Amino acid sequence: GHSHTKRANEVYKRLGLFSGFCIIGAVASAQDQRNGGVDTFFDFTQRLEYSDNPDFETDGGASDLFGRTILRYGYQITRSVDSLSFNIGTDIEEGRADRPTLDLVNGFFDLSYDRDTRNAGIGGNLRYRESDVNSETTDEEFDQDGNVIDQFRGTRRSYGFSLIGDVGRSAPIGATYEVSYSEIVYVDTLDPSLRDSDTFETRGTVDFVLSPNVTASLVGLYRDFNTEEGGTNRETTGLGLGTQLRINPVLSGQVHLRYDRIERTGNSPGNDEGISIATGLIQELRNGTLGFDLTSDVTTNEDGRRGYFGVNRNTVLPRGQQLNYALGLTRSDGSGVDPLVNIEYIYDLPTGRLDFGLS
């Protein structure tokens, strides 16, 4: 099959927003499997969290130690070539210093459909999330510049859909594509910095299998971000090339180069353009993997170009345990060099999971 690369630098950019964050959690799951490919489940996750800035305040906020309960119910129908799934859930925060004793946050639902054949696949997703405050690190917590959305009043409602597909899975030439639309709407707030916005994005990749160990790719991107009056609209186009290599049976690598052009209109008009670079190596070990990542992206925020170098290690331990960590440095033109650390310990239980995270 064809390899499909995910860019990890966005994750590390977000981790850099935390100066200290610690999670201890436990997951319990009740599941009902029936004949006919119908699967229902109820997940209950209890976490104890500490952060020195839980609301991502720009000037730094008071630290807080609190509990979080995550409830999720799911229903899935699976047949020979397709599946339909539905998920609904919410978070409950307990013991926040400046909040009610119990606070419902981050209610969500999503509906997905996937259809797969031997050489092709297609899938769609509808999703909704509602949040009253910054209480969880999700994609919707960050604006188009990668800055945290400061929301202390009102409600943020996020809607979206996506269509994903691929063809030519076992052919010398294959392709993947994605089309998505998302919208953020604020209600019950007069904060002028909170502006409704919508984003339309489409991206595609054509893979050419040159040999069992070498795959070349042609990639394209178009993104159109629009916001209310007083904000900055951005239209992004990108075109690039990539190579994925199997260097030996246990070592693989990738190199991606893309020319990006960003046209800004509205409050801050102008153009940004340049080459975005993403490279990586993955070494397979007896008890896990060792990886290296180096990226440099064109951005439109005040920090200018952002680069990242990191080392990540996945270790499989006895009795269902895992230890994962990522250590790196990020650098931007406007803010210098900052360290990034992410550590996660996982212990799988017969009917649940215990995890500890520090970033």
Side-chain angles (χ1 to χ4, degrees):
H2 300 277
S3 300
H4 311 300
T5 304
K6 295 183 178 179
R7 297 169 59 193
N9 56 303
E10 290 298 323
V11 176
Y12 297 115
K13 180 171 71 174
R14 292 168 187 170
L15 290 176
L17 294 167
F18 298 87
S19 51
F21 188 63
C22 178
I23 298 175
I24 301 175
V27 181
S29 177
Q31 193 171 69
D32 177 24
Q33 294 183 339
R34 309 171 187 170
N35 295 328
V38 177
D39 185 16
T40 62
F41 65 87
F42 178 77
D43 279 351
F44 171 88
T45 302
Q46 182 63 52
R47 300 196 329 202
L48 179 63
E49 301 185 7
Y50 168 81
S51 176
D52 63 353
N53 189 6
D55 293 319
F56 313 117
E57 296 182 24
T58 305
D59 298 328
S63 61
D64 204 355
L65 176 68
F66 57 96
R68 182 191 303 277
T69 301
I70 305 173
L71 305 177
R72 184 166 71 106
Y73 170 79
Y75 182 84
Q76 182 172 354
I77 301 174
T78 304
R79 295 179 294 193
S80 59
V81 296
D82 62 355
S83 64
L84 178 69
S85 64
F86 171 76
N87 295 278
I88 188 171
T90 188
D91 292 6
I92 304 174
E93 290 185 346
E94 307 103 5
R96 289 296 302 270
D98 57 347
R99 309 271 173 83
T101 304
L102 296 177
D103 194 13
L104 290 175
V105 296
N106 291 329
F108 72 91
F109 81 84
D110 66 75
L111 177 67
S112 299
Y113 175 79
D114 296 287
R115 183 177 180 86
D116 287 287
T117 63
R118 185 173 182 178
N119 294 313
I122 189 171
N125 172 267
L126 295 172
R127 56 192 178 274
Y128 170 80
R129 178 179 287 272
E130 180 172 305
S131 178
D132 290 328
V133 291
N134 275 320
S135 55
E136 181 74 348
T137 307
T138 65
D139 290 344
E140 291 81 11
E141 299 294 338
F142 298 83
D143 63 19
Q144 289 293 304
D145 291 333
N147 299 318
V148 174
I149 299 172
D150 292 322
Q151 178 191 341
F152 299 100
R153 285 179 174 79
T155 298
R156 181 174 68 255
R157 295 172 179 168
S158 303
Y159 312 81
F161 74 85
S162 59
L163 177 67
I164 302 174
D166 66 291
V167 295
R169 290 179 175 176
S170 56
I173 300 178
T176 63
Y177 60 89
E178 178 179 357
V179 179
S180 63
Y181 174 82
S182 61
E183 184 173 337
I184 297 179
V185 177
Y186 295 95
V187 296
D188 299 328
T189 181
L190 298 177
D191 188 339
S193 67
L194 301 178
R195 302 181 180 91
D196 297 351
S197 63
D198 62 81
T199 304
F200 172 78
E201 180 173 324
T202 179
R203 61 174 67 221
T205 302
V206 180
D207 293 325
F208 304 89
V209 181
L210 305 181
S211 74
N213 297 321
V214 181
T215 300
S217 302
L218 175 66
V219 299
L221 164 70
Y222 174 78
R223 181 187 299 119
D224 186 18
F225 170 79
N226 295 283
T227 186
E228 290 182 324
E229 183 177 356
T232 302
N233 305 313
R234 297 172 178 85
E235 186 177 19
T236 303
T237 55
L239 184 64
L241 300 171
T243 302
Q244 299 162 58
L245 306 171
R246 172 66 70 172
I247 301 171
N248 59 48
V250 297
L251 180 64
S252 60
Q254 62 179 10
V255 179
H256 291 267
L257 303 175
R258 192 181 70 203
Y259 174 78
D260 290 329
R261 177 178 172 82
I262 305 171
E263 298 183 9
R264 291 178 279 114
T265 59
N267 185 52
S268 179
N271 295 323
D272 302 282
E273 56 187 327
I275 302 295
S276 293
I277 304 169
T279 64
L281 286 173
I282 297 179
Q283 174 79 43
E284 297 178 11
L285 306 174
R286 289 189 306 169
N287 62 343
T289 60
L290 174 65
F292 301 89
D293 294 297
L294 175 65
T295 64
S296 179
D297 283 336
V298 177
T299 62
T300 60
N301 60 17
E302 297 176 354
D303 289 340
R305 177 178 287 271
R306 180 182 296 273
Y308 168 79
F309 173 76
V311 179
N312 53 81
R313 178 74 164 94
N314 170 258
T315 306
V316 179
L317 303 174
R319 297 186 295 275
Q321 301 175 87
Q322 291 185 50
L323 178 63
N324 308 318
Y325 65 83
L327 306 174
L329 296 172
T330 181
R331 180 187 182 279
S332 59
D333 294 338
S335 60
V337 178
D338 294 300
L340 299 177
V341 179
N342 186 41
I343 302 173
E344 181 183 36
Y345 169 78
I346 300 173
Y347 185 21
D348 287 321
L349 305 172
T351 58
R353 187 180 73 176
L354 176 67
D355 64 85
F356 171 81
L358 175 67
S359 61

